Amino acid sequence: MLVAAFLRNGLGLLVPLAIACTIYLYLYPLFGGCAFPLPSRDAHEAFEATKRLHWPFNETESDPDHVPTQLAPFRLLALGDPQLEGDTSIPTVLLGTFPHVISIYKHLTFQTPHWSFRERIRWTVHDIVDVIFEDIPYYLDSWRKRLDLFGNDFYLAHIYRTLHWWSRPTHVSVLGDLLGSQWIEDDEFEERGQRFWQRAFRGGERVPDDVATWPAHEYDLTGMLDGSEAEEIWTKRIINVAGNHDIGYAGDLTPERLERFERVFGKVNYELRFGIPINDTDVLATIHHDQRNPESNRLEPEIRIVVLNDMNLDTPAKDTDLQDATYKFINTVIGTSAAVEYSGIFTLVLTHIPLYKPEGICVDAPFFDFHGPEDGGGVKEQYLLSADASKGFLEGFYGMNKDPNAAAGGRGRKGLILNGHDHEGCDTYHFINQTNGTDPSERFWEVARWRDAQARGLPNLTSSGVPGRREITVRSMMGDFSGNAGLLSMWFNQETWEWEYEFVNCRLGTQHFWWFVHFLDLGVVVAFVVYILVSILGFVGVDVDARFFQGVAWGGRKIAPWWYQKRDDAASQNGHARIKG
Ligand SMILES: *[C@@H]1O[C@H](CO)[C@@H](O)[C@H](O)[C@H]1NC(C)=O
């Protein structure tokens, strides 16, 4: 039983490897130590707490659904730039399948005009060369690309599903560039929309339009961060941000592109407000109330999520009505913000294009490209927002000021900006030095890497002359960027009456590992089935080995008859019996 023995030994090696790789792949957040940070900011403790969520034997009888309370009440799974590709990246879809064969046929059947027969032959030979050097490679590449796209959907799905199951987010956001191209036709757009919801983010739901509200002075909270069943729905909803590949930059953005995005993925501009229950009556009494407690600057704790389409902030825009709508939205957000003197509200901005920063801070440097005048002259591409638009974020949304004599010392409102676009990711701190120079007009916004800013102690200077806000550009979840995901935890500190947060990344590894594991598993399954068949055949008395080697000899004879001929001659000369084919 040589064949069976070979398969048995092979499986003996491959099965343990396949099991180990599969366990690693399907439990990657566990091996990567991924967990939403805890208020203690202790990574080890956070990991242990998440592990306990999955340990089936620690449920107390009184409270079987007990979720450890030390978990942060707001846990956002933030995903950057999945960029679902499709038709537009398959050569045969763009160019046709074997177009030069068709062309040759036309030349030979006199369907093409040529001034001489020699010319006809010349073009035919030309096309034969193109078949070999273009059509065949493109054809093979198209199939590779199709397989690639198919696998990529499942690779992204693997990240979403596994991390969602393991880390238990309360909210999920995809920070723009859900799709890979803004140039696609409507049917391809629908197709990719289907793939987004049915495959990559299966189980996810679009945020309903009536929940995604326009900012107002009088508003109802979107929800409470109390872990109740009613809030469970938010673990499924995906807060989608519009990116340049979804709707186009300012120079390409049309109502049609916006409409199809909003219909499939949700609105592009809205706010969500989440509160947190406070049950302690002593604490409740300290909250601002116009009659009972007018002196207090404490507002009821709330996370205000501002979802913003920042595609058309910069000019020129193709459609100025759409640009006005974005400006109006921003002004309404600012107009309905609490005065800067109050504390307890945290503004989390989710958008796509990062804020302005000079070259050398992140991978992307400032870059603008514009359409020619014949195409409307609008913004064709940009890596970062302009300095002016960025200032609008910092001084508008956050109300910070270069002048220390401004309201509340120009310290502004608490918050954080999350975005995507720069696939490499970046973590920065924007600040303004209020004591720089004597004249406020000489002061300007500066940016530092978050790590450098921390080393310089800048975040601690917010109340002493250097207000600032952090901006996290989340690294892409695409395989080439190692399948990254951001985990943002937020919790409320009742002592300082401010929200606090912590952000960590979790990486799966490149798509190649994902492919390797699945091919390995498939190979093991096939080998195992063959092994079973061989064993059964052996059991019923078929000489599998003899047949196998006969088969090899027969196959060899077909492929290399001359070699077998020589061997056969030698064998008959030596008087050996030859293997019958
Ligand atoms: C702010 O500016 C003052 C005056 O130029 C300077 O002494 C101080 O070091 C600056 N602070 C920071 C954090 O750059």
Side-chain angles (χ1 to χ4, degrees):
M1 293 296 277
L2 272 172
V3 174
F6 175 76
L7 286 169
R8 194 165 50 239
N9 288 336
L11 283 170
L13 285 175
L14 288 184
V15 167
L17 180 67
I19 290 177
C21 288
T22 308
I23 289 177
Y24 180 85
L25 180 65
Y26 280 81
L27 294 177
Y28 83 89
L30 193 122
F31 293 101
C34 300
F36 276 102
L38 294 183
S40 68
R41 290 194 163 91
D42 180 330
H44 178 72
E45 202 183 317
F47 182 63
E48 291 301 319
T50 305
K51 230 163 66 181
R52 269 201 300 283
L53 291 175
H54 296 276
W55 190 242
F57 309 114
N58 58 359
E59 290 167 357
T60 55
E61 272 178 35
S62 57
D63 185 6
D65 295 324
H66 179 73
V67 173
T69 46
Q70 84 261 38
L71 281 197
F74 181 82
R75 305 185 295 280
L76 178 75
L77 175 60
L79 300 163
D81 303 61
Q83 294 204 187
L84 260 62
E85 293 286 347
D87 270 9
T88 39
S89 56
I90 299 177
T92 53
V93 172
L94 291 178
L95 306 169
T97 310
F98 286 102
H100 294 102
V101 172
I102 297 166
S103 165
I104 291 170
Y105 175 78
K106 285 188 176 159
H107 295 318
L108 295 180
T109 51
F110 292 86
Q111 290 183 45
T112 46
H114 289 293
W115 61 272
S116 77
F117 191 68
R118 182 167 59 86
E119 187 68 3
R120 191 170 295 283
I121 300 290
R122 185 171 85 83
W123 280 104
T124 308
V125 173
H126 218 284
D127 281 342
I128 291 173
V129 170
D130 282 349
V131 169
I132 296 166
F133 290 100
E134 243 181 60
D135 288 5
I136 294 176
Y138 282 177
Y139 184 75
L140 296 177
D141 194 46
S142 297
W143 278 105
R144 186 196 60 77
K145 191 76 204 170
R146 278 198 189 96
L147 184 69
D148 205 37
L149 290 177
F150 182 74
N152 190 51
D153 286 355
F154 289 102
Y155 170 83
L156 298 175
H158 183 77
I159 295 173
Y160 172 66
R161 185 189 59 237
T162 310
L163 212 46
H164 198 280
W165 159 76
W166 168 255
S167 68
R168 305 269 177 103
T170 56
H171 295 72
V172 183
S173 178
V174 180
L175 298 159
D177 279 2
L178 287 53
L179 309 183
S181 171
Q182 66 270 45
W183 306 116
I184 54 182
E185 299 295 330
D186 286 349
D187 49 353
E188 174 66 12
F189 185 89
E190 299 300 325
E191 168 99 28
R192 290 195 205 181
Q194 284 276 327
R195 279 168 48 207
F196 183 91
W197 291 115
Q198 302 301 331
R199 228 185 257 160
F201 294 88
R202 198 184 171 83
E205 290 171 15
R206 177 182 176 282
V207 176
D209 287 347
D210 57 330
V211 175
T213 50
W214 190 260
H217 280 287
E218 300 285 327
Y219 58 88
D220 294 324
L221 286 176
T222 314
M224 282 303 249
L225 303 169
D226 56 4
S228 67
E229 249 172 64
E231 297 308 308
E232 280 285 295
I233 184 74
W234 280 103
T235 64
K236 291 206 192 98
R237 285 181 181 155
I238 296 182
I239 305 169
N240 285 320
V241 172
N244 51 293
H245 285 316
D246 303 314
I247 59 174
Y249 290 102
D252 295 307
L253 182 51
T254 57
E256 293 73 34
R257 287 215 171 91
L258 193 74
E259 184 279 330
R260 69 181 187 183
F261 178 86
E262 293 199 319
R263 181 167 40 79
V264 175
F265 297 109
K267 284 197 205 169
V268 296
N269 289 322
Y270 58 94
E271 70 162 9
L272 304 169
R273 289 171 176 258
F274 292 95
I276 191 164
I278 291 189
N279 301 320
D280 189 330
T281 42
D282 290 343
V283 177
L284 280 173
T286 67
I287 295 177
H288 175 91
H289 189 281
D290 285 344
Q291 281 93 48
R292 286 196 305 276
N293 199 1
E295 295 298 305
S296 170
N297 69 348
R298 293 181 162 194
L299 296 178
E300 292 201 32
E302 189 185 287
I303 296 175
R304 184 187 203 193
I305 300 178
V306 175
V307 179
L308 171 72
N309 161 28
D310 67 355
M311 246 12 78
N312 55 4
L313 281 188
D314 283 306
T315 45
K318 187 181 182 110
D319 189 310
T320 45
D321 287 344
L322 289 181
Q323 188 171 46
D324 288 345
T326 301
Y327 289 162
K328 191 167 162 226
F329 173 73
I330 290 175
N331 287 330
T332 317
V333 169
I334 297 169
T336 53
S337 296
V340 281
E341 293 83 359
Y342 293 98
S343 60
I345 295 181
F346 188 96
T347 308
L348 174 64
V349 176
L350 305 179
T351 192
H352 184 64
I353 303 179
L355 268 59
Y356 173 84
K357 46 196 71 87
E359 188 173 351
I361 302 226
C362 298
V363 173
D364 279 350
F367 174 81
F368 267 96
D369 190 15
F370 299 94
H371 282 296
E374 66 285 358
D375 292 322
V379 179
K380 189 177 171 191
E381 196 179 1
Q382 67 186 113
Y383 289 173
L384 302 173
L385 292 175
S386 67
D388 275 341
S390 307
K391 205 166 104 177
F393 271 67
L394 300 163
E395 298 181 9
F397 282 149
Y398 294 112
M400 291 184 284
N401 204 302
K402 58 191 169 195
D403 186 352
N405 300 317
R411 290 188 298 276
R413 287 176 277 269
K414 286 286 185 296
L416 170 71
I417 302 163
L418 282 191
N419 45 35
H421 200 46
D422 182 342
H423 297 163
E424 301 283 347
C426 200
D427 195 348
T428 54
Y429 189 69
H430 298 260
F431 60 98
I432 195 158
N433 188 349
Q434 291 175 332
T435 49
N436 215 352
T438 43
D439 181 3
S441 66
E442 292 167 25
R443 295 168 199 153
F444 52 92
W445 284 95
E446 296 175 67
V447 198
R449 280 271 198 164
W450 175 245
R451 219 180 304 122
D452 300 336
Q454 272 183 313
R456 288 163 63 186
L458 293 175
N460 302 328
L461 300 178
T462 286
S463 320
S464 36
V466 191
R469 288 297 169 271
R470 188 173 171 188
E471 176 198 18
I472 300 173
T473 300
V474 180
R475 188 180 170 88
S476 165
M477 75 186 293
M478 285 189 280
D480 292 343
F481 301 90
S482 55
N484 186 65
L487 306 175
L488 172 72
S489 285
M490 244 187 259
W491 59 91
F492 190 69
N493 183 340
Q494 293 197 6
E495 302 293 316
T496 58
W497 209 256
E498 295 290 5
W499 288 89
E500 292 178 12
Y501 65 86
E502 186 69 77
F503 179 89
V504 294
N505 284 303
C506 177
R507 290 184 187 180
L508 161 61
T510 64
Q511 70 275 39
H512 306 118
F513 180 66
W514 185 91
W515 277 111
F516 169 75
V517 173
H518 290 99
F519 270 123
L520 183 63
D521 288 353
L522 183 70
V524 164
V525 168
V526 170
F528 190 72
V529 169
V530 172
Y531 174 68
I532 298 280
L533 285 177
V534 166
S535 303
I536 292 172
L537 287 174
F539 191 71
V540 298
V542 178
D543 189 346
V544 178
D545 290 346
R547 283 177 184 251
F548 176 74
F549 289 112
Q550 272 172 16
V552 170
W554 181 82
R557 207 175 291 257
K558 290 275 168 207
I559 296 162
W562 48 269
W563 189 73
Y564 273 81
Q565 192 60 47
K566 260 196 340 221
R567 271 193 31 169
D568 284 354
D569 293 348
S572 51
Q573 273 167 22
N574 294 341
H576 292 302
R578 50 185 252 209
I579 301 168
K580 289 231 160 28

